Amino acid sequence: MSTTQIRHAPPRTTPQLRPGRKDPRVWLYVVPVVAVFLFVFVGPLVFTAWTALHATTYYQIRDFTGLNSFAKLFADKNLPKQIGTTLAFSLGALAIALPLGFASAVVLNKIIRFKRLVRSLFLLPWLMSQATVGTLWLWFLNPNYGPGTAITKAFGFGPTDVFSAPGSALVAVTLITAWWSYPQAMVLFLGALQTVPTELYESLRVDGGNVWQGFVNITLPFLRNTIVSVVVVLLMLYVQMVTIILVTTRGGPLGGTETLSMRVFNKTFQDFDLSGASATAILLFAINIALTLVAVRFRRKETL
């Protein structure tokens, strides 16, 4: 090929893509997601709100009553106590599960030998259902034949009759819930710890830094967003907790462990007050929205 032919060759141009219509096949992915969202979330929420605005007889929706069920809810003298019980139970379980999950994640992130075995042991409580956990601890703390009673009697104490008083029952249910749920925090923290660059710790050691300085200056800044997320996830879990409380105390004794979620259960299946249960469920939904807003507000925006 001559130089003249090369010189007069037409320049190559990048083909311009014409803006065309969107591929209609994208709806094959969008429609199922929207349908599941409407069926699982929007539908039950609308039905709950509709039920709260109507009088109910057992499970039949009757006449429209407006905000009457909400007025009864906030006029109930037991509501402040149930809100206080919910906060004490949720914050108490969080105060135990959060540091326990974090410490377990740090241990698993550092351990080398038998890592899978230790991880399986740490995850064991979370692998059991809430009903199984409640039944297990109810048997263990039984004041007549439970192993807990045998242990306390061996040390010179009385039987483990913790579910007979409101205060001790609330403490027991809180501890059981924290024991069951801390592996969830551990898994989230462990995933976040594995994303921290090891070069930062090596540089700190070269500069003479110790373990505590590495924890404060490297680990905590990297895990700030994860900590906020874990707090919100666990709080939302505890606020809606029913099964463990149902199996162990059913909200008793004397209403000492009756949280708002247990109030929904009792209103639905004991009092057959579907309207009152729906009003309480709407209140719980508002609390969950508030927790989500707190997460959005305090989540760190800058990228590490």
Side-chain angles (χ1 to χ4, degrees):
M1 182 179 293
S2 63
T3 307
T4 305
Q5 290 175 331
I6 296 176
R7 185 177 302 167
H8 293 286
R12 292 184 178 181
T13 58
T14 303
Q16 299 294 328
L17 297 177
R18 293 187 304 171
R21 297 180 179 179
K22 293 183 178 180
D23 191 345
R25 290 176 296 180
V26 72
W27 292 104
L28 295 176
Y29 303 96
V30 175
V31 171
V33 175
V34 174
V36 171
F37 178 75
L38 292 176
F39 181 77
V40 174
F41 178 76
V42 177
L45 179 61
V46 171
F47 178 77
T48 301
W50 180 261
T51 305
L53 298 175
H54 289 74
T56 57
T57 302
Y58 290 95
Y59 299 124
Q60 295 182 351
I61 300 177
R62 298 297 186 181
D63 299 331
F64 178 80
T65 57
L67 300 177
N68 186 41
S69 60
F70 292 96
K72 290 182 179 180
L73 171 65
F74 291 106
D76 189 353
K77 61 180 181 180
N78 292 323
L79 181 62
K81 178 183 177 181
Q82 292 165 352
I83 293 176
T85 301
T86 303
L87 293 177
F89 168 75
S90 302
L91 296 178
L94 178 67
I96 299 171
L98 188 68
L100 186 59
F102 187 85
S104 302
V106 172
V107 171
L108 286 178
N109 194 47
K110 296 294 184 180
I111 197 171
I112 298 177
R113 300 185 61 183
F114 307 108
K115 189 171 185 177
R116 293 183 178 180
L117 176 61
V118 176
R119 182 179 301 179
S120 300
L121 294 176
F122 281 11
L123 285 173
L124 186 60
W126 197 31
L127 297 178
M128 294 184 288
S129 66
Q130 295 183 36
T132 303
V133 170
T135 304
L136 175 65
W137 281 101
L138 195 64
W139 163 77
F140 185 85
L141 298 174
N142 189 283
N144 297 320
Y145 53 81
T149 296
I151 295 174
T152 54
K153 286 184 176 180
F155 286 95
F157 299 99
T160 55
D161 194 11
V162 296
F163 295 115
S164 61
S168 59
L170 181 60
V171 172
V173 170
T174 302
L175 292 174
I176 293 171
T177 302
W179 177 80
W180 171 77
S181 60
Y182 89 89
Q184 183 173 358
M186 181 192 69
V187 170
L188 296 175
F189 282 133
L190 183 60
L193 284 172
Q194 293 176 351
T195 63
V196 181
T198 57
E199 295 82 2
L200 297 178
Y201 295 105
E202 295 174 358
S203 300
L204 183 67
R205 284 195 296 268
V206 171
D207 294 337
N210 53 32
V211 176
W212 175 252
Q213 291 174 337
F215 175 77
V216 174
N217 298 320
I218 299 176
T219 305
L220 282 183
F222 267 89
L223 266 64
R224 179 177 174 180
N225 289 346
T226 304
I227 292 173
V228 174
S229 299
V230 171
V231 167
V232 173
V233 169
L234 290 182
L235 280 178
M236 293 178 67
L237 174 66
Y238 299 149
V239 166
Q240 302 175 82
M241 179 72 68
V242 174
T243 307
I244 291 180
I245 301 176
L246 177 65
V247 172
T248 54
T249 64
R250 299 189 67 87
L254 302 176
T257 58
E258 187 175 8
T259 60
L260 289 176
S261 58
M262 276 304 303
R263 177 190 174 98
V264 174
F265 180 88
N266 292 331
K267 284 286 183 181
T268 304
F269 298 105
Q270 290 187 3
D271 301 337
F272 300 102
D273 183 10
L274 194 59
S275 178
S278 298
T280 308
I282 294 296
L283 177 60
L284 279 174
F285 178 68
I287 293 175
N288 287 335
I289 291 179
L291 292 175
T292 304
L293 293 178
V294 168
V296 174
R297 171 64 181 82
F298 288 97
R299 224 175 142 77
R300 197 159 105 184
K301 296 181 180 180
E302 64 267 22
T303 303
L304 292 173

